[in-house]
Amino acid sequence: MTDAPPGGLRPLALYVHWPYCARVCPYCDFNVVRDRGRRQEQAQLASAIVADIAAHARLTGPMRLTSIFFGGGTPSLMAPVWAAEIIAAARAAWTSDEALEISLEANPTDAEAGRFAGLRAAGVQRLSLGVQALDDASLSFLGRNHGADEAIRAARLAAALFPRLSLDLIYALPGQTPEAWTETLARAADELGPEHLSAYQLTIEPGTAFHRAVGRGRFTPVDAELAAQLYEATQAVLERRGFDAYEVSNHARGAGARSRHNLAYWRGWAYAGVGPGAHGRLDLDGGRTATAAAPGIADYLAAVERTGLGWGGAGEVLTSQAVAEERLMMGLRTEEGAPWSALAALSLTPSHPRVQALAEAGLVAPGAEALRATRAGRLVLNAVLERLMV
Ligand SMILES: C[S@@+](CC[C@H](N)C(=O)[O-])C[C@H]1O[C@@H](n2cnc3c(N)ncnc32)[C@H](O)[C@@H]1O
Ligand code: SF4
């Protein structure tokens, strides 16, 4: 069903969602809540996550844990002792791969930087730092609770403390020129020491403050032509600095710097999701099962209390067509592409007329083993997927 590597225990990635944020950013539609300092609730949540991990292990049986990813929200607001307990629970639940990757998303404020050493001691090896921009005007537009100097300080400290550092940046801010974006990217790559960069195009998500602001005419999102220029500038600047674009928004300095956790998603491997609103994909007796934990903190705590699992034990068994569609959607985001063997339920082959037509348009490259999107294809990925999945 999935193209996981043969031999030994089946691989498993673990996603841990920590929903608290010091301030909710106007563009963000992740499952987040404002951190009001409710330590007791947070301690309960950490304990519930530990219990949820143990319940997942009873369900999956023995597996090889290849990555743990603390995402959010802002897991750098988590007390390091809870991160250590969650890591210990995961290591006890499954067999740790010798190259187990442990990543954590952090915001670059001085207060959080003060916790970096504790998070490193708890076992985090890879920090994914949300610097977003390197000038105060852009950070203020994005509603961030830190300035550029603070972000740079946090990045330098993180580079010194953690063996692996990734930076998140957002581009396509209104009025941003390719020159200004190029300068930001070049500074991030040259001066802050990351092995990995995620460059996300600003998207205006329904339900966010930015969506309301655009509706009221406060600002206009950049048009498709400028967005494409900014995307091309991203590829060019980072390629020159030795980063390969191994996924639409992700760039790594060499294969060892790629995010093993995200690769598990993009390759269709199994992953468990714990914490409010976390999603998972497990291979259970009924087949590939989609899980979704209760998004609200109180509901999540109640579900774990009742059933052990944050998703209450009622997952959705996916059809082989749905599994193949996910594999296609995820695989085409990456340089590796989606293997033909995983696309059989969609009847897609190298000689399929729809594949041929997209290849002639320069949007996909059908190889012997896998279907890949070209760089031009990745820029219009949704349109490519629509044509392949009709
Ligand atoms: C879940 S957030 C967590 C990171 C951390 N809390 C922070 O803000 O630095 C992961 C990343 O998603 C990106 N992101 C979130 N909403 C976005 C949007 N609407 N458009 C583009 N990027 C977005 C940001 O770059 C952010 O760092
Ligand atoms: S971007 Fe990060 S800090 Fe801002 S609301 Fe989203 S998760 Fe929280």
Side-chain angles (χ1 to χ4, degrees):
M1 174 173 292
T2 55
D3 48 327
L9 291 173
R10 295 163 303 146
L12 180 75
L14 174 67
Y15 176 75
V16 179
H17 190 76
W18 194 252
Y20 303 98
C21 292
R23 187 202 281 181
V24 175
C25 304
Y27 53 84
C28 184
D29 80 336
F30 285 77
N31 185 35
V32 299
V33 292
R34 174 107 184 277
D35 184 352
R36 296 178 196 279
R38 295 189 182 128
R39 289 278 296 186
Q40 206 190 334
E41 178 191 88
Q42 296 187 10
Q44 279 175 347
L45 180 57
S47 301
I49 288 173
V50 164
D52 199 357
I53 289 171
H56 271 86
R58 289 193 290 277
L59 204 60
T60 64
M63 292 187 85
R64 181 166 50 88
L65 185 65
T66 52
S67 60
I68 304 174
F69 191 99
F70 289 88
T74 309
S76 53
L77 291 173
M78 181 190 282
V81 62
W82 296 335
E85 281 173 19
I86 291 168
I87 292 168
R91 283 184 174 280
W94 296 286
T95 301
S96 298
D97 189 274
E98 56 188 27
L100 173 65
E101 175 187 86
I102 305 179
S103 307
L104 181 136
E105 285 184 333
N107 282 37
T109 69
D110 286 340
E112 287 163 61
R115 230 171 271 127
F116 287 176
L119 290 166
R120 173 72 190 108
V124 175
Q125 311 134 339
R126 181 177 181 275
L127 204 75
S128 172
L129 191 66
V131 295
Q132 319 305 355
L134 292 177
D135 65 281
D136 287 338
S138 298
L139 290 168
S140 157
F141 169 76
L142 289 168
R144 299 289 290 181
N145 64 344
H146 55 85
D149 287 352
E150 210 174 354
I152 290 167
R153 265 199 306 280
R156 296 227 161 98
L157 179 65
L161 281 174
F162 293 89
R164 302 178 62 192
L165 174 65
S166 177
L167 302 178
D168 284 359
L169 292 166
I170 299 183
Y171 69 93
L173 310 187
Q176 189 173 40
T177 60
E179 292 71 31
W181 167 235
T182 297
E183 195 208 313
T184 300
L185 251 187
R187 279 180 59 210
D190 296 343
E191 296 171 23
L192 302 180
E195 62 162 24
H196 187 279
L197 272 161
S198 303
Y200 297 113
Q201 181 181 330
L202 176 65
T203 46
I204 306 300
E205 305 286 357
T208 61
F210 268 9
H211 194 260
R212 292 187 287 281
V214 169
R216 288 192 206 107
R218 298 257 165 83
F219 72 86
T220 311
V222 308
D223 60 35
E225 195 183 325
L226 179 55
Q229 279 176 26
L230 293 163
Y231 178 81
E232 286 302 334
T234 309
Q235 314 306 310
V237 171
L238 293 179
E239 238 166 50
R240 271 202 298 279
R241 285 166 172 79
F243 286 84
D244 22 273
Y246 71 109
E247 194 263 353
V248 175
S249 310
N250 286 284
H251 306 256
R253 253 185 189 138
R258 296 180 179 194
S259 160
R260 275 167 228 157
H261 186 80
N262 285 334
L263 280 171
Y265 296 152
W266 298 323
R267 289 173 175 163
W269 293 1
Y271 57 95
V274 294
H279 287 244
R281 292 287 182 276
L282 301 174
D283 293 318
L284 303 178
D285 289 344
R288 173 136 293 206
T289 304
T291 71
I297 294 169
D299 291 342
Y300 176 78
L301 294 175
V304 173
E305 176 79 34
R306 212 176 52 246
T307 67
L309 292 160
W311 46 280
E316 183 197 355
V317 177
L318 300 177
T319 62
S320 53
Q321 163 135 2
V323 173
E325 283 180 356
E326 277 195 356
R327 194 67 190 80
L328 181 70
M329 285 192 278
M330 292 291 164
L332 288 198
R333 298 184 64 85
T334 67
E335 190 193 47
E336 297 176 353
W340 296 112
S341 57
L343 304 179
L346 300 175
S347 311
L348 290 175
T349 60
S351 56
H352 192 291
R354 288 202 298 271
V355 173
Q356 289 285 310
L358 287 166
E360 274 160 32
L363 299 175
V364 300
E369 300 291 327
L371 174 65
R372 290 183 193 81
T374 60
R375 189 191 277 189
R378 284 198 230 164
L379 192 54
V380 290
L381 196 54
N382 287 344
V384 170
L385 289 168
E386 264 173 39
R387 300 219 351 230
L388 288 170
M389 296 197 307
V390 285

